[in-house]
Amino acid sequence: MKSHVSALTDVRPLFQWKAKNPRFQDQASILNDYAVMWWVNTNADLELADAVRYSLAMGAGDLVMDWDPYLMGGETRMSARDPRDTLAIRPERDRSIQNWEGITFREAHSVNKLRAIYPTQANKIHPDSGLFSPVASRFH
């Protein structure tokens, strides 16, 4: 499996910007350099490898692009998600996710992480008093 993942992820951005107008050639070159820099600095190849592992094991793998204000002072982060946590909203019969009505990503976060993400609402975020909370409180 490692050789398959290695063969499928040993890439870098294969696209590039080209300007037909010579006055914009410098900007196209800067964008090309930025794409390669982003790929290397965010370890996008490792996230791609995780998605390939999911797809080899389960037949599907999802990559999600999220804005992360804490990554390099604010940057787009690519992250692999378990395809079982990708919930389709009115999916079509073809294979393209683009034709679905929508998509929901199921994920869990700790209370402290949610308080850090939403600092203005931190006083409203409380731990869940679930099924085991009365039992757990006896052991404290």
Side-chain angles (χ1 to χ4, degrees):
M1 183 158 143
K2 284 184 180 181
S3 61
H4 292 298
V5 172
S6 175
L8 292 171
T9 61
D10 192 19
V11 295
R12 62 176 183 84
L14 299 176
F15 59 89
Q16 64 179 351
W17 283 272
K18 290 186 179 182
K20 292 183 180 181
N21 187 335
R23 293 186 305 174
F24 297 112
Q25 192 59 42
D26 290 340
Q27 285 82 357
S29 177
I30 290 169
L31 286 173
N32 292 330
D33 292 342
Y34 180 76
V36 172
M37 180 200 69
W38 173 85
W39 185 267
V40 172
N41 288 341
T42 62
N43 294 321
D45 56 340
L46 299 177
E47 294 297 330
L48 179 61
D50 287 344
V52 169
R53 284 186 196 95
Y54 277 128
S55 66
L56 289 174
M58 294 189 280
D62 290 333
L63 282 170
V64 178
M65 300 294 284
D66 290 321
W67 174 257
D68 186 353
Y70 305 109
L71 177 67
M72 298 181 341
E75 187 58 76
T76 305
R77 176 188 298 273
M78 184 168 62
S79 58
R81 303 279 176 102
D82 188 333
R84 295 170 293 182
D85 291 336
T86 302
L87 308 173
I89 300 172
R90 301 179 81 182
E92 296 289 327
R93 290 196 173 264
D94 62 357
R95 296 180 186 203
S96 176
I97 211 170
Q98 299 295 322
N99 295 331
W100 294 359
E101 186 75 22
I103 194 168
T104 300
F105 296 109
R106 179 176 51 187
E107 57 187 25
H109 295 289
S110 70
V111 173
N112 289 334
K113 183 173 181 180
L114 289 174
R115 287 178 180 160
I117 293 172
Y118 306 107
T120 60
Q121 304 294 321
N123 60 340
K124 298 178 182 177
I125 301 172
H126 303 289
D128 185 21
S129 57
L131 177 65
F132 296 108
S133 62
V135 177
S137 64
R138 293 182 195 162
F139 297 106
H140 290 290

